[in-house]
Amino acid sequence: MPYGSITLHPVCQQIIKEAFYKKKSVLTKSCEVDLVTETDQAVEKMLIGRIKENFPNHMFIGEESVAAGEKCDLTNDPTWIVDPVDGTMNFVHSFPHSCISLAVLYHKDVHIGIIFNPILDQMYTAKRNQGAFLNDKPIRVSEEEDLSKSLVIAEFGTNRDTKKMESVLKNVSALMNKVHGLRAMGSAALNMASVAAGGADCYFEFGIHVWDIAAGALIIKEAGGICLDTEGGPLDLMSRRMICASSEKLALQIIPLLDQLKFERD
Ligand code: LIP
């Protein structure tokens, strides 16, 4: 996979920053808390349009394109996976914890990952076998291996069906007296970036999508961390579940405590 030097077009940052503090027109997707705004759609259209100008034969999987009915078909071809605004609920509420997440895959392996929080000007990047960075400074996962001293991120997600909510509450109650702290921050990509930068020690979620985690999976790997399936096997980007941690030792302490859910693949 030829590595280009990829920079997110400054217009994407401008679109999000300008809309961030304004009142947004909000639509719902799968349920009343699965939100989308015109900014999500505009950023995805801008990003994919600009990338296509340079890489016309590449494939694309975009959150909002899939929501509009496009296939979510990951092949061995060079593929760009885009979440134009990850943490849309946060964006709608002007809570500055949302980002653009962009990954480039080849033969289904992530070769480039970019997670950009335009409100806080935080650009997390990684190229395969070339390390992980925050604003061009190298980042590493924490060295925490003691569950009782770990900060763990667990999300409520955007699915409010009873089975999912019961599972979330089971996982929160199973963990809350075993860890240092639990957090729910509302952006899968930024949760993974936090683990990569050592700000959290573990994050897991059931119900996420490939566009939420593809970039973060490479950034964590390049920062010395690990991403697994929630039952401990290899991560399957399309399986809609994932656990990532600063070490396998820490992940393996959490996995047995989790109430496991399965979802239809992306
Ligand atoms: C969000 C994820 C988050 C999850 C939310 C939502 P979106 O993505 O990043 O981890 O808990 O339910 O799926 O919808 O803001 O792009």
Side-chain angles (χ1 to χ4, degrees), residues 29 33-35 40 63-64 83-90 155-160 164 186-191 203 205 207-209 211-212:
K29 295 189 288 189
V33 294
D34 185 9
L35 309 180
D40 297 72
E63 176 177 9
E64 304 317 331
D83 188 339
V85 180
D86 184 53
T88 300
M89 178 69 79
N90 292 342
E155 291 287 352
F156 298 101
T158 42
N159 174 331
R160 290 293 181 269
K164 175 65 169 26
S187 163
L190 285 173
N191 292 342
Y203 156 59
E205 188 163 355
I208 32 100
H209 291 278
W211 44 79
D212 293 318

Side-chain angles (χ1 to χ4, degrees), residues 11 22 25 56-57 60 64 69 88 91 109 136 168 220 262:
V11 176
K22 286 180 185 164
S25 64
N57 301 322
F60 295 86
E64 304 317 331
T88 300
F91 174 73
D109 288 325
D136 297 326
V168 166
I220 285 182
K262 284 193 188 299

Side-chain angles (χ1 to χ4, degrees), residues 9 18 34 63 85 104-105 137 139 160 185 211 241:
H9 200 280
E18 280 177 7
D34 185 9
E63 176 177 9
V85 180
V104 185
L105 285 73
K137 290 188 177 59
I139 54 175
R160 290 293 181 269
M185 301 295 290
W211 44 79
R241 62 187 208 174

Side-chain angles (χ1 to χ4, degrees), residues 10-144:
V11 176
C12 298
Q13 177 172 19
Q14 189 189 343
I15 294 174
I16 294 178
K17 268 192 158 177
E18 280 177 7
F20 187 75
Y21 291 104
K22 286 180 185 164
K23 188 161 172 47
K24 290 110 183 156
S25 64
V26 183
L27 298 174
T28 57
K29 295 189 288 189
S30 62
C31 72
E32 73 283 1
V33 294
D34 185 9
L35 309 180
V36 61
T37 70
E38 72 277 13
T39 303
D40 297 72
Q41 293 161 340
V43 169
E44 181 165 315
K45 187 165 176 241
M46 157 73 64
L47 263 178
I48 292 179
R50 299 273 175 156
I51 295 167
K52 270 186 181 165
E53 287 169 12
N54 293 287
F55 303 98
N57 301 322
H58 287 194
M59 308 303 285
F60 295 86
I61 295 174
E63 176 177 9
E64 304 317 331
S65 308
V66 172
E70 282 193 24
K71 278 173 61 180
C72 181
D73 184 17
L74 182 57
T75 66
N76 286 331
D77 293 331
T79 305
W80 298 69
I81 300 184
V82 181
D83 188 339
V85 180
D86 184 53
T88 300
M89 178 69 79
N90 292 342
F91 174 73
V92 166
H93 288 270
S94 305
F95 181 73
H97 195 78
S98 354
C99 63
I100 300 171
S101 183
L102 178 65
V104 185
L105 285 73
Y106 186 51
H107 287 284
K108 299 180 182 173
D109 288 325
V110 188
H111 282 251
I112 295 171
I114 300 174
I115 295 172
F116 177 46
N117 180 338
I119 306 307
L120 302 181
D121 266 320
Q122 293 169 330
M123 176 81 82
Y124 297 85
T125 58
K127 286 183 179 177
R128 191 178 172 87
N129 301 326
Q130 297 187 38
F133 302 87
L134 167 57
N135 295 348
D136 297 326
K137 290 188 177 59
I139 54 175
R140 290 292 295 174
V141 293
S142 75
E143 294 180 357
E144 191 51 69

